[in-house]
Amino acid sequence: MRSSHSSHWGAFEAVSDGQSVVAITPYEGDQNPSALLRNLPGSTTHKARIAQPYVREGWLQNGPGPSDRRGKDRLVPVSWDEVIPLVADEVSRIIDTHGNGAIFGGSYGWASAGRFHHAQSQLHRFLNVTGGYVAHENTYSNAAGEVILNRVAGNMRELIFRATSWDVIAEETDLFVAFGGLPVKNASVSPGGSSRHVMRDRLIQAATRGCRFVYFSPCQDDLLSEVNGEWYAPRPGSDVAIMLGMAWVLESEGLVDHSFLDTYTVGYDVFREYLLGNADGIAKTPEWAAALSEIPAEVISSLARSLVQGKSIINTSWSLQRAEYGEQAPWMSLTLAAMVGQIGTAGGGFGFGYSSMSSIGEDAHLLGAPLFNQLHNRVKDFIPVARISDLLLNPGQTYQYDGQDRTYPDIRLVWWAGGNPFHHHQDLGRLQQALGRPDTIIVNDPYWTPMARHADIVLPSTVSMEREDIGGANNDSLIVAMKEAVPVNADARDDYDIYAAIAERMGLGEKFTEGKSSDEWVRDIYESWRQRIVSKWPDAPPYDQLREDGFVELPYLAKPCVMLEEFRANPTGHPLGTPSGKIEIYSETIDSFGYEDCRGHARWYEPEEWLGTATDSYPLQLVANNPSTRLHSQLDIGEGSQASKIHGREPMRIHPSDAAERGIAHGDVVRVFNDRGALLAGVIVSDQVRPRCVQLSTGAWFDPIETTDGRPFCIHGNPNVLTRDKGTSNLGQGCAGQHAMVQVEKWTGELPPITAYDPPSEM
């Protein structure tokens, strides 16, 4: 049996034997289908699926309350008839005693690509029906970049979803400078689906035409080898210094486009005083940048001059802003591009996140995608998304965020659905401590993820291939009828049906469901969307036709995108959403906040943990990047992800010189550690990672064993036992988990068995 379906990494047909998905056929319109599709066969019936509801034994015996036993206690299987009243009564108790402001609706993650059975939307709608919840702002992916670009360029989402298209770059760009590289692996995915993966072909097309690619990254394979790009491997965290060195050359050699700066920007004169050293006594010369970055001064100078010799794009990957002072990299690259003066031209300008998602650089279509109404959240409180441990550990504590003085609320109930914070978040020992504080933690999940194991109440969800839905993304050309491919596993239920039952118990059933079944909702949101767009697309098929066809192509805009083209043509008629209406090289607003870690213009801040502060105890810099074998931690159980493991552990790359110094060989297992924790990883010795750095991707399911020092020791290789839980700055408060200083030693003991995918014991 074949069923049309979609995922965040591509549309496909699922081939089923009636019980399990046995094969996947990529959508025929995708010339470069994602290798992540390999993880789907067998996933619906994997042993890691949650078969029925569970409740933590200590919670059952002692009732709600803080506990250090989460993740350790026995989980007791119960029926749906037993668990629904438990959940409904506990939610009612929290609301009656503490108010809705004591509920954290922590749904965060990619979950299903379906527009109705979308974990965040379902949970948030349910909580809004009850009166609301404490939400989160921004994302782990690009929080620092979003906050800073909203302040200085008007609207980050407009910049990334209306980025200059790859078609334009392939035909027009002469020089593409990529800080953080351009890894095609990250462009496999896009929220809601990606029907065509065009980046690989356009990179090769541009290089064949003669476009020069220069990239700065600790990893050589962060650009396609076919492109023959020029690789420079700076100290991780020094990219802003390199950009400043390039800016100094432009200013000192009279290569700055002052006409552009005068017309389209504000504040260059203030920034110039810093650049030249008049403000702090330090001229940001290429030699200064070379001492910090280990990139030769002549390379920095030559590249700066090349920026103005043709059409150039300066791009910053999202990885650079997932670090301490992460706001500075996108702000500085925007400043440098403004100095060149090509923003708003075909083939020139600025980029933020090319290769970070498939949708960045795709041509935009007219119509958006169908969405499920989450209703209105009456609780106005929120946290920056990466401050979850701070929230739970420090109720009542004040903090700063984007010009606001805020206070962490007192959270008594955490409800998580569709994500795995043990992947996203840093310093997992601290996260475990934080998760001990609420009265109750409820988790909806199809699999025994680390978060499900730390819950008081576990509600087993279906996976997308067990449901009917609609797939689609705002920057993609395809609407997909996501058809049920296999029967529901064991006693799992759709999130919608779970919340409907709880809402009914609380007397809110009609308000949540509006009298509709899930199939009726899917039809309704599609037909409502079709009616909204009928004037733009008269031929939009009715729902029944979509179900029959499986895949429907959407019409595109008349021409490919050029970022800020309208602003350049008419800055008065199309101003940016900044106080000045222009690009703010210097922001008076940000300066007025008085933050020492993010002042009025882009600048260099030395990270607390980087190679510049290496010690004998921790001499290596860990680069915790996104994996190439899965979407974050999603389907780590899959064939593609499992094939990458070494002795069952996540692979870690280390330079030959660093491996030899430690007596480490390819295929060994090593212990990687610092003061926050330790992990085991399998070794790949490779000269594609720079000396004194080790690269270990995120996403291995957290699999801790007991230790005498109380620090987490993940035997599976989750790098977030090592990374620091610190906001990027008081402005963005984003995730700073890309880097950490570590030591590596060969593991000579017996290898403990991996238990991350085993159902918890029912002893």
Side-chain angles (χ1 to χ4, degrees):
M1 181 177 69
R2 289 180 171 269
S3 305
S4 57
H5 216 76
S6 188
S7 66
H8 297 298
W9 49 92
F12 60 92
E13 285 188 314
V15 182
S16 167
D17 62 4
Q19 294 299 316
S20 180
V21 174
V22 296
I24 294 294
T25 302
Y27 175 58
E28 62 180 9
D30 191 352
Q31 299 303 306
N32 297 290
S34 171
L36 302 189
L37 292 170
R38 286 180 60 193
N39 288 325
L40 289 168
S43 63
T44 61
T45 53
H46 194 275
K47 67 177 182 178
R49 288 294 303 273
I50 304 174
Q52 67 181 95
Y54 282 78
V55 180
R56 184 172 64 82
E57 186 173 53
W59 193 94
L60 274 176
Q61 292 177 347
N62 305 317
S67 175
D68 61 2
R69 297 296 302 166
R70 293 186 177 115
K72 301 174 184 177
D73 261 355
R74 185 170 79 98
L75 291 166
V76 179
V78 296
S79 69
W80 283 108
D81 287 343
E82 293 172 293
V83 81
I84 293 298
L86 287 177
V87 174
D89 292 350
E90 176 61 359
V91 174
S92 296
R93 182 189 74 84
I94 293 291
I95 294 171
D96 293 343
T97 306
H98 305 288
N100 284 79
I103 300 174
F104 181 62
S107 178
Y108 180 87
W110 289 66
S112 170
R115 297 301 83 203
F116 173 71
H117 291 291
H118 179 249
Q120 290 190 51
S121 299
Q122 291 288 343
L123 175 59
H124 293 167
R125 179 184 174 92
F126 168 77
L127 292 177
N128 285 336
V129 163
T130 72
Y133 62 98
V134 174
H136 68 257
E137 288 287 315
N138 313 125
T139 68
Y140 279 88
S141 296
N142 57 27
E146 180 174 7
V147 174
I148 191 64
L149 291 176
N150 284 348
R151 286 288 183 184
V152 303
N155 187 320
M156 185 275 289
R157 291 185 61 83
E158 185 69 17
L159 295 182
I160 64 174
F161 290 116
R162 295 295 180 266
T164 298
S165 73
W166 283 115
D167 286 342
V168 173
I169 292 169
E171 295 175 0
E172 299 286 348
T173 302
D174 299 308
L175 171 63
F176 197 113
V177 181
F179 289 96
L182 285 169
V184 173
K185 65 180 176 66
N186 295 346
S188 290
V189 301
S190 184
S194 185
S195 62
R196 288 179 174 83
H197 297 86
V198 303
M199 179 180 166
R200 174 183 292 272
D201 290 346
R202 296 300 177 266
L203 286 174
I204 295 172
Q205 182 182 341
T208 301
R209 180 183 52 79
C211 180
R212 176 188 175 198
F213 287 89
V214 179
Y215 65 114
F216 295 87
S217 171
C219 301
Q220 186 175 13
D221 56 356
D222 273 347
L223 183 67
L224 279 176
S225 59
E226 296 94 320
V227 170
N228 295 316
E230 300 167 35
W231 176 42
Y232 296 101
R235 286 173 167 174
S238 65
D239 302 80
V240 170
I242 297 169
M243 295 182 215
L244 284 164
M246 294 169 67
W248 187 92
V249 172
L250 295 181
E251 173 61 37
S252 299
E253 298 185 7
L255 301 177
V256 173
D257 188 337
H258 286 284
S259 176
F260 181 88
L261 293 176
D262 292 343
T263 306
Y264 300 101
T265 77
V266 295
Y268 179 71
D269 54 338
V270 180
F271 170 77
R272 181 178 179 274
E273 292 298 293
Y274 168 78
L275 180 67
L276 297 180
N278 299 332
D280 62 359
I282 302 172
K284 312 310 180 290
T285 65
E287 290 74 20
W288 168 84
L292 293 168
S293 66
E294 299 182 351
I295 300 300
E298 55 270 23
V299 170
I300 296 171
S301 298
S302 175
L303 184 57
R305 298 179 190 114
S306 297
L307 291 174
V308 298
Q309 293 171 358
K311 295 180 178 179
S312 60
I313 287 179
I314 303 162
N315 180 67
T316 301
S317 73
W318 289 357
S319 61
L320 298 190
Q321 52 85 66
R322 287 196 296 269
E324 192 175 12
Y325 311 117
E327 294 81 4
Q328 303 306 312
W331 197 1
M332 185 60 222
S333 60
L334 176 63
T335 299
L336 184 59
M339 294 171 69
V340 174
Q342 297 181 14
I343 294 172
T345 66
F350 163 77
F352 177 57
Y354 281 109
S355 83
S356 296
M357 287 198 312
S358 176
S359 54
I360 301 174
E362 289 187 355
D363 296 341
H365 64 70
L366 288 163
L367 306 174
L371 295 173
F372 180 50
N373 187 354
Q374 299 180 26
L375 303 177
H376 175 65
N377 186 1
R378 284 176 278 170
V379 175
K380 302 305 179 186
D381 215 345
F382 67 87
I383 63 162
V385 66
R387 303 274 54 82
I388 173 65
S389 292
D390 288 347
L391 165 72
L392 298 179
L393 290 171
N394 303 305
Q397 179 176 299
T398 59
Y399 68 99
Q400 295 172 316
Y401 166 71
D402 196 17
Q404 306 168 45
D405 293 323
R406 303 189 59 82
T407 302
Y408 289 120
D410 188 359
I411 296 298
R412 301 304 182 100
L413 171 66
V414 172
W415 198 326
W416 211 280
N420 174 19
F422 284 84
H423 157 73
H424 294 293
H425 202 65
Q426 287 68 57
D427 195 346
L428 296 186
R430 187 168 186 261
L431 177 63
Q432 286 183 299
Q433 180 186 359
L435 291 177
R437 191 189 170 279
D439 287 357
T440 300
I441 296 176
I442 304 172
V443 172
N444 292 39
D445 208 306
Y447 297 97
W448 282 115
T449 62
M451 187 60 182
R453 294 172 186 270
H454 283 76
D456 296 306
I457 301 174
V458 183
L459 305 175
S461 303
T462 54
V463 297
S464 71
M465 288 185 289
E466 296 167 346
R467 311 184 285 239
E468 301 283 313
D469 211 335
I470 301 167
N474 285 334
N475 232 31
D476 196 72
S477 63
L478 202 66
I479 296 292
V480 181
M482 297 172 63
K483 299 178 182 178
E484 179 184 323
V486 291
V488 171
N489 181 76
D491 205 16
R493 289 187 181 181
D494 293 350
D495 285 323
Y496 177 77
D497 293 334
I498 295 171
Y499 298 130
I502 299 168
E504 184 67 27
R505 170 81 180 192
M506 297 175 67
L508 300 169
E510 179 67 22
K511 191 173 181 181
F512 177 76
T513 67
E514 297 182 24
K516 300 173 188 175
S517 68
S518 57
D519 287 347
E520 289 170 329
W521 268 112
V522 173
R523 177 184 292 272
D524 182 71
I525 64 173
Y526 177 82
E527 288 295 348
S528 297
W529 170 79
R530 189 170 74 94
Q531 292 303 314
R532 289 197 306 272
I533 55 90
V534 70
S535 62
K536 298 177 181 178
W537 188 23
D539 297 328
Y543 179 73
D544 290 335
Q545 186 66 49
L546 170 69
R547 304 302 303 179
E548 182 177 338
D549 294 342
F551 304 102
V552 175
E553 293 281 351
L554 302 176
Y556 270 103
L557 291 170
K559 63 178 183 178
C561 291
V562 173
M563 180 194 285
L564 298 180
E565 183 179 37
E566 292 181 335
F567 168 67
R568 186 181 183 103
N570 186 355
T572 303
H574 296 281
L576 304 181
T578 60
S580 64
K582 300 180 180 183
I583 295 168
E584 302 213 342
I585 293 174
Y586 166 78
S587 168
E588 186 175 327
T589 300
I590 293 175
D591 211 26
S592 72
F593 298 155
Y595 299 153
E596 285 301 313
D597 53 6
C598 188
R599 285 174 273 179
H601 55 72
R603 64 181 67 214
W604 159 256
Y605 292 92
E606 182 175 11
E608 187 173 334
E609 285 193 31
W610 74 308
L611 287 174
T613 58
T615 65
D616 291 341
S617 297
Y618 305 122
L620 302 177
Q621 186 158 4
L622 169 70
V623 177
N625 63 355
N626 282 335
S628 60
T629 59
R630 58 186 172 263
L631 168 56
H632 298 316
S633 68
Q634 193 163 329
L635 295 182
D636 189 30
I637 60 173
E639 175 189 346
S641 183
Q642 290 298 304
S644 71
K645 309 282 184 178
I646 298 174
H647 299 293
R649 326 288 150 169
E650 192 67 15
M652 183 201 77
R653 293 193 295 178
I654 185 171
H655 191 271
S657 62
D658 297 315
E661 182 181 337
R662 292 161 176 79
I664 294 168
H666 190 90
D668 283 345
V669 171
V670 292
R671 175 175 173 259
V672 189
F673 61 96
N674 61 19
D675 287 339
R676 287 181 284 273
L679 60 84
L680 296 182
V683 170
I684 297 174
V685 178
S686 172
D687 60 6
Q688 289 198 326
V689 62
R690 66 154 279 161
R692 301 181 65 204
C693 284
V694 293
Q695 177 265 312
L696 176 65
S697 295
T698 58
W701 286 10
F702 182 50
D703 197 357
I705 59 174
E706 293 289 335
T707 60
T708 57
D709 61 9
R711 298 171 186 164
F713 183 11
C714 178
I715 61 173
H716 192 197
N718 186 321
N720 281 329
V721 298
L722 307 171
T723 53
R724 188 166 52 145
D725 184 11
K726 182 181 188 298
T728 51
S729 79
N730 284 323
L731 185 77
Q733 290 287 3
C735 152
Q738 192 76 13
H739 303 144
M741 297 305 295
V742 301
Q743 180 59 286
V744 175
E745 64 183 14
K746 184 175 180 178
W747 179 261
T748 57
E750 183 178 350
L751 282 175
I754 301 297
T755 62
Y757 315 121
D758 296 339
S761 170
E762 298 176 8
M763 293 173 53

